[in-house]
Amino acid sequence: MIDQPYVYQHRELAEPDWRRLPGWADVTPQQWASAQWQRAHCVKNIRQLRLVLGPALDERFCADLERDQAERATMSMLVPPQMINTMVPALSPADPNFTDALYADPVRRYMIPVFTDRRADWPSHPLAARDSLHEAEMWAVEGLTHRYPTKVLAELLPTCPQYCGHCTRMDLVGNPTPVIDKHKFELDRDQRLGAMMDYLRRTPGVRDVVVSGGDVANLPWPRLESFVAGLLDISSVRDIRLATKALMGLPQYWLTDEVRSGMERLATTARQRDVSIAIHTHVNSAQSVTPLVASAAKAMLETGIRDVRNQGVLLRGTNDRADQLLDLCFALLDEAKIMPYYFYMCDMIPNSEHWRLSLAEAQQLQHDIMGYLPGFATPRFICDVPYVGKRWVHQVKRYDRELGISYWTKNYRTGVEADDPLALAREYEYYDPIHLLPETGQSYWRERVRTPVAVGAGS
Ligand code: SF4
């Protein structure tokens, strides 16, 4: 046997036993399998977390969490039982090592961030922004981002069944926090969705619609079904992708009879019209892939949709090692039939520096996972460059590692550049976390913060 940096092992999935958690010691398998029960028992605050994890949870952790919520959190807390149960899956909270294990847990690190997780020196990059991808600037109608020539993103609603600490759409999604107020849609939902549909009918150049939010699992099923059915009636729409992290966070929902039969109706129509419907989910850690998640993904494939794909986010402390990423990809591919597709670099939103990786780290990770997975299931690592769009991490044009600035180009215009003759000639910048830079680079940024220079879309 040749010695390899990563050793593949087939692992059976296992649902962690929720009865180890004092608050759910009496919860039956029927209750656990109910989407309604899961939604009703989401953990929304520290008091509820204490009730679930019991008195053994260290006060140090609770105080750390409380401070984060007051001073740093850009997302409010909302974690379904299914996700809580995958944190520290092998220990009971009574175990003396539980709190330390909770601090180190990959899922906890992004779903329940605490103050000491964050950087004290540079909690935010100076050029971090609330809507860091400028999606709202590119709305063709409210909530419909037309950033690429042939595809659009439809933000149907601003809520999710779970809120992730690193959410890119923190500007819009979720409840306000003490440090972040949220943007509110002006049109009501039906007006907004109607305006999106009108735009797509009169814009035949768009062939691909990402139906997102938030999370489509929070839209009542009949409304989602009628929206997707409306898309299927537009002959120019050929690809429809439904974005739902809840396939992992709340698989019970995707296993309900209402959703399964509704998806079957949509898949049947889609096949008749030669349109592809896929589900895109967001799983960041192998321990999130449980038998229930696998069942939900397979149930969706059985309805006849084209595929279920994963778009994870690279997060320090969660999945910043090649073995963690490969374990995740194999769990998705082997057990849940979910296609590893993308890993995004974490976007430059406020207070995210402790999660973000540098471009060089992402390039190294892409290198390190090559050759283990089948080519068709080898995910691309992606930098979503403001005003440019998704770029494979090795597509960078030039890269100043000392200052942590990478320069990118593009080959199409977004709506905001229709009249900009330089849009395709310009270089657009992306920034590494400052704490990773050599001292000369860090001092450049300290100076730049003291005497800010005008910063545009590109250089
Ligand atoms: S599920 Fe997606 S949209 Fe919702 S909070 Fe998480 S990252 Fe944001």
Side-chain angles (χ1 to χ4, degrees):
M1 192 79 173
I2 305 172
D3 196 20
Q4 301 288 3
Y6 175 81
V7 179
Y8 168 75
Q9 275 178 315
H10 179 247
R11 293 190 183 88
E12 296 283 326
L13 300 184
E15 207 71 43
D17 186 355
W18 58 86
R19 292 167 306 178
R20 77 190 187 287
L21 306 175
W24 293 329
D26 299 323
V27 172
T28 65
Q30 289 73 24
Q31 287 173 309
W32 193 263
S34 153
Q36 215 178 352
W37 186 91
Q38 290 278 332
R39 285 194 197 263
H41 292 83
C42 283
V43 171
K44 301 187 204 69
N45 54 47
I46 300 173
R47 183 183 63 80
Q48 292 174 342
L49 186 68
R50 276 202 188 95
L51 285 176
V52 170
L53 299 184
L57 177 64
D58 202 323
E59 258 322 295
R60 152 177 77 104
F61 182 86
C62 296
D64 208 354
L65 175 56
E66 197 170 356
R67 183 164 182 205
D68 196 74
Q69 294 189 341
E71 298 179 32
R72 292 281 185 268
T74 55
M75 296 298 290
S76 58
M77 188 174 181
L78 183 65
V79 195
Q82 173 73 23
M83 287 197 82
I84 296 271
N85 191 39
T86 60
M87 298 177 197
V88 198
L91 289 185
S92 131
D95 188 290
N97 298 317
F98 181 83
T99 299
D100 285 344
L102 187 61
Y103 264 109
D105 186 84
V107 179
R108 194 287 304 163
R109 288 266 312 173
Y110 77 93
M111 291 304 294
I112 311 182
V114 294
F115 188 84
T116 56
D117 289 340
R118 313 234 189 209
R119 297 293 309 178
D121 48 0
W122 296 96
S124 289
H125 193 282
L127 299 178
R130 292 174 55 119
D131 176 10
S132 70
L133 302 179
H134 308 276
E135 289 179 331
E137 259 177 73
M138 297 177 200
W139 282 349
V141 296
E142 194 179 51
L144 190 79
T145 303
H146 195 166
R147 182 155 67 132
Y148 302 95
T150 57
K151 46 189 182 172
V152 292
L153 165 77
E155 295 165 329
L156 297 198
L157 75 173
T159 67
C160 309
Q162 64 283 308
Y163 289 136
C164 318
H166 65 283
C167 179
T168 289
R169 288 195 193 111
M170 45 69 70
D171 185 44
L172 180 74
V173 168
N175 304 312
T177 73
V179 288
I180 296 286
D181 213 7
K182 301 283 166 161
H183 180 90
K184 295 261 183 305
F185 285 131
E186 285 172 8
L187 300 178
D188 75 29
R189 192 180 69 201
D190 284 340
Q191 286 174 322
R192 214 159 17 83
L193 271 52
M196 290 178 185
M197 214 51 97
D198 287 344
Y199 179 80
L200 292 170
R201 281 192 205 104
R202 61 174 192 265
T203 316
V206 173
R207 61 168 300 289
D208 178 2
V209 182
V210 177
V211 182
S212 184
D215 187 320
V216 295
N218 262 17
L219 197 62
W221 177 263
R223 189 66 189 94
L224 179 62
E225 186 172 342
S226 77
F227 185 82
V228 176
L231 294 178
L232 289 169
D233 281 338
I234 302 175
S235 59
S236 43
V237 173
R238 314 305 300 156
D239 264 300
I240 300 172
R241 316 188 235 164
L242 306 178
T244 176
K245 187 181 178 97
L247 190 77
M248 174 275 283
L250 189 67
Q252 294 84 352
Y253 171 76
W254 292 98
L255 285 163
T256 58
D257 290 341
E258 181 187 34
V259 172
R260 291 170 78 154
S261 54
M263 194 61 98
E264 219 165 86
R265 286 190 291 275
L266 291 173
T268 304
T269 311
R271 269 201 313 278
Q272 287 162 354
R273 299 188 187 171
D274 244 348
V275 176
S276 299
I277 295 183
I279 287 183
H280 281 205
T281 194
H282 168 188
V283 189
N284 295 331
S285 173
Q287 71 201 51
S288 299
V289 187
T290 73
L292 267 166
V293 174
S295 298
K298 289 181 203 167
M300 287 299 103
L301 289 171
E302 280 162 16
T303 66
I305 62 169
R306 164 84 184 259
D307 211 350
V308 179
R309 308 183 185 114
N310 185 53
Q311 304 186 167
V313 177
L314 294 174
L315 298 165
R316 193 176 306 284
T318 294
N319 55 20
D320 55 336
R321 297 196 325 252
D323 62 322
Q324 293 171 318
L325 291 165
L326 286 167
D327 284 351
L328 167 57
C329 292
F330 282 118
L332 291 167
L333 189 64
D334 289 357
E335 310 300 327
K337 307 301 166 212
I338 298 175
M339 186 69 74
Y341 170 46
Y342 273 166
F343 282 105
Y344 288 108
M345 295 178 69
C346 178
D347 291 319
M348 288 183 56
I349 54 155
N351 297 338
S352 63
E353 291 308 274
H354 67 296
W355 280 310
R356 292 204 311 122
L357 270 56
S358 67
L359 178 68
E361 289 176 303
Q363 289 174 330
Q364 185 64 46
L365 285 171
Q366 177 80 80
H367 171 270
D368 291 350
I369 68 150
M370 298 305 289
Y372 289 94
L373 290 148
F376 62 83
T378 300
R380 270 166 294 162
F381 290 33
I382 299 294
C383 182
D384 209 337
V385 182
Y387 290 111
V388 173
K390 294 168 193 63
R391 286 290 177 271
W392 182 44
V393 291
H394 286 287
Q395 271 182 280
V396 64
K397 183 162 182 230
R398 55 193 181 94
Y399 184 15
D400 182 335
R401 291 186 184 221
E402 187 183 352
L403 304 185
I405 306 177
S406 48
Y407 299 88
W408 306 78
T409 54
K410 61 194 281 192
N411 52 333
Y412 45 75
R413 289 187 171 82
T414 59
V416 293
E417 297 143 346
D419 303 320
D420 179 354
L422 293 178
L424 306 189
R426 189 175 285 124
E427 288 184 338
Y428 298 81
E429 297 180 357
Y430 189 81
Y431 307 97
D432 284 346
I434 294 170
H435 68 96
L436 298 177
L437 304 180
E439 179 45 37
T440 45
Q442 297 201 23
S443 93
Y444 163 86
W445 282 102
R446 281 192 293 270
E447 191 53 37
R448 188 162 163 176
V449 169
R450 270 196 290 273
T451 50
V453 290
V455 179
S459 56

